Amino acid sequence: MSGSDGGGDDAWRFGTRAVHAGLTPDPTYGSVIPAIHQTSTFAQRAVGEFVEDYDYARSANPTRSALELALGVLEGGLGSAFSSGMAAIHALITAVCSAGDHVVMPADLYGGTYRLMDKVLTRFGLTYTLVDQTDLDAVAAAVTETTRVVWVETPTNPMLNVVDIPEIVERARGAFVAVDNTFATPVNQRPLELGADAAVHSVTKYLGGHSDTVGGAVVVRDPAVHEQVRFVQNAIGAVPGPFDCFLVHRGLRTLHLRMAAHAAAAEAVVGFLRGAPGVSDVRWPGFSGMVSFRHPDAIGIAGRARLFTLAESLGGVESLIEVPQAMTHQSVEGSAAAVPADLVRLSCGVEAPEDLVEDLRAAIAGAP
Ligand SMILES: *Cc1c(COP(=O)(O)O)cnc(C)c1O
């Protein structure tokens, strides 16, 4: 039967991998897209005799395995899928760290990651330091003998600062470098190729890409670390269901096309915002659809936008608008990771860029 073995061909370019990774025609009926294995368990031929590692669906499920293979192909490592981005982050940190270990984190990071560290993991003996990772000397100074993990987010959320991954790896003194690659996606940045040990995703965002499911992923380089992550995945049990895996896998197949369209939309929006009345500090890393800017009437603009839906999250085909300080970043309020109250964050979708610009023009024109 023709078709790839799902692992991809090393010579394939990214777009080809995105379309084919993890997918092999079903051997029974030849269906080009494999069936969704909506099952909790697997029949055994005799006691302890089952296909590959499929004995119980928390441990493994073929629909999840296909997605995990694809995630690994796209990031260039060994992938594991989780029920949310937070579950993926929790799994990686708990797989790698033990009580007494220290973690260096960005001062400007996803609020949920900060909350996990500050409110949960510190109760189990981890310590952390927040540092501005665009200041490489500060990163070097924050790494101590007990530092086990240097956590990186780039571009950062919501300030969209870009951090130089190879420079961080150089200053990590052998600590495990994990990169939250949710905003960049492997289309724009592949952390493992840049020397990091792990890439993490909220696949809820660009990888799934359609705002229809919540999920997470960890991709690591080292097979021993991969085994530890899989051990935690099974032991803690924050696994995604088969249908969610199917949705994310379908999303991956158009990732390269969507990321190009998101960037084109963001470029048009940024072109407008840079000259718009009352707008300052327009930020866009030059790729992806994430844009932020400041305006004294941030809350009013978010309320008046119509095509941009007022909602948390990002990375879907439809455009979203939010005010981080009041919405997604409440958990960092009052901490060193706090964000300005007049900041607006946009997730530019793949609509016609002109329509997005017109919507923002009207929302900003309505400011008092
Ligand atoms: C959303 C997000 C997360 C958390 O992922 P969930 O799927 O919501 O659990 C982590 N990191 C970043 C950068 C995010 O945007």
Side-chain angles (χ1 to χ4, degrees):
M1 188 177 295
S2 67
S4 77
D5 68 357
D9 181 326
D10 285 347
W12 282 350
R13 287 157 188 83
F14 189 90
T16 309
R17 290 177 196 218
V19 172
H20 292 281
L23 290 171
T24 41
D26 164 67
T28 310
Y29 299 106
S31 62
V32 168
I33 301 304
I36 300 169
H37 292 265
Q38 192 72 42
T39 188
S40 63
T41 190
F42 302 86
Q44 305 194 4
R45 284 185 208 97
V47 173
E49 238 184 73
F50 44 85
V51 180
E52 296 174 35
D53 50 354
Y54 302 119
D55 59 345
Y56 180 59
R58 168 160 36 73
S59 315
N61 173 289
T63 311
R64 192 173 97 214
S65 301
L67 171 63
E68 289 174 328
L69 178 57
L71 291 163
V73 167
L74 297 190
E75 283 287 9
L78 300 162
S80 304
F82 293 87
S83 54
S84 70
M86 287 319 306
I89 293 168
H90 173 267
L92 181 61
I93 295 177
T94 53
V96 171
C97 292
S98 301
D101 287 343
H102 174 247
V103 180
V104 172
M105 309 191 89
D108 165 17
L109 82 167
Y110 180 69
T113 308
Y114 172 75
R115 179 175 55 199
L116 171 67
M117 180 56 69
D118 185 60
K119 298 286 191 292
V120 180
L121 297 176
T122 53
R123 291 196 282 118
F124 297 87
L126 295 190
T127 59
Y128 72 90
T129 305
L130 295 180
V131 60
D132 171 2
Q133 296 187 339
T134 60
D135 179 349
L136 294 170
D137 291 338
V139 173
V143 175
T144 67
E145 261 127 65
T146 59
T147 302
R148 179 74 184 107
V149 169
V150 177
W151 193 266
V152 178
E153 217 181 277
T154 181
T156 64
N157 176 9
M159 301 305 285
L160 305 177
N161 290 313
V162 173
V163 175
D164 190 327
I165 295 170
E167 294 286 354
I168 299 276
V169 170
E170 211 167 282
R171 284 160 182 79
R173 288 207 251 157
F176 189 92
V177 177
V179 178
D180 185 330
N181 206 28
T182 299
F183 274 38
T185 83
V187 171
N188 298 302
Q189 168 175 279
R190 288 185 288 282
L192 301 189
E193 287 175 11
L194 298 171
D197 298 291
V200 175
H201 284 275
S202 167
V203 304
T204 312
K205 317 294 169 55
Y206 284 116
L207 300 199
H210 294 75
S211 307
D212 52 12
T213 186
V214 170
V218 173
V219 182
V220 300
R221 176 204 310 285
D222 182 346
V225 176
H226 179 59
E227 278 317 304
Q228 286 168 272
V229 170
R230 295 196 79 80
F231 183 86
V232 170
Q233 181 193 43
N234 184 46
I236 301 282
V239 292
F243 189 63
D244 291 302
C245 292
F246 164 80
L247 287 174
V248 173
H249 204 156
R250 186 167 69 159
L252 290 184
R253 308 189 77 196
T254 54
L255 180 63
H256 54 304
L257 303 177
R258 288 185 288 106
M259 292 315 289
H262 286 298
E267 189 173 18
V269 160
V270 165
F272 159 70
L273 287 173
R274 292 229 154 102
V279 170
S280 64
D281 201 13
V282 179
R283 291 168 182 240
W284 176 52
F287 54 84
S288 107
M290 299 307 296
V291 172
S292 69
F293 66 92
R294 295 173 75 166
H295 190 288
D297 190 31
I299 288 184
I301 290 168
R304 281 190 297 275
R306 294 181 55 219
L307 181 53
F308 279 87
T309 301
L310 176 59
E312 298 186 9
S313 198
L314 62 113
V317 289
E318 66 289 288
S319 294
L320 304 179
I321 187 167
E322 69 129 356
V323 178
Q325 190 267 341
M327 295 171 65
T328 45
H329 285 64
Q330 289 272 292
S331 54
V332 296
E333 202 45 23
S335 80
V339 297
D342 62 353
L343 189 76
V344 178
R345 189 187 76 179
L346 305 175
S347 171
C348 299
V350 301
E351 299 95 335
E354 298 83 348
D355 292 332
L356 297 175
V357 168
E358 285 318 312
D359 191 46
L360 288 174
R361 192 191 304 281
I364 291 170

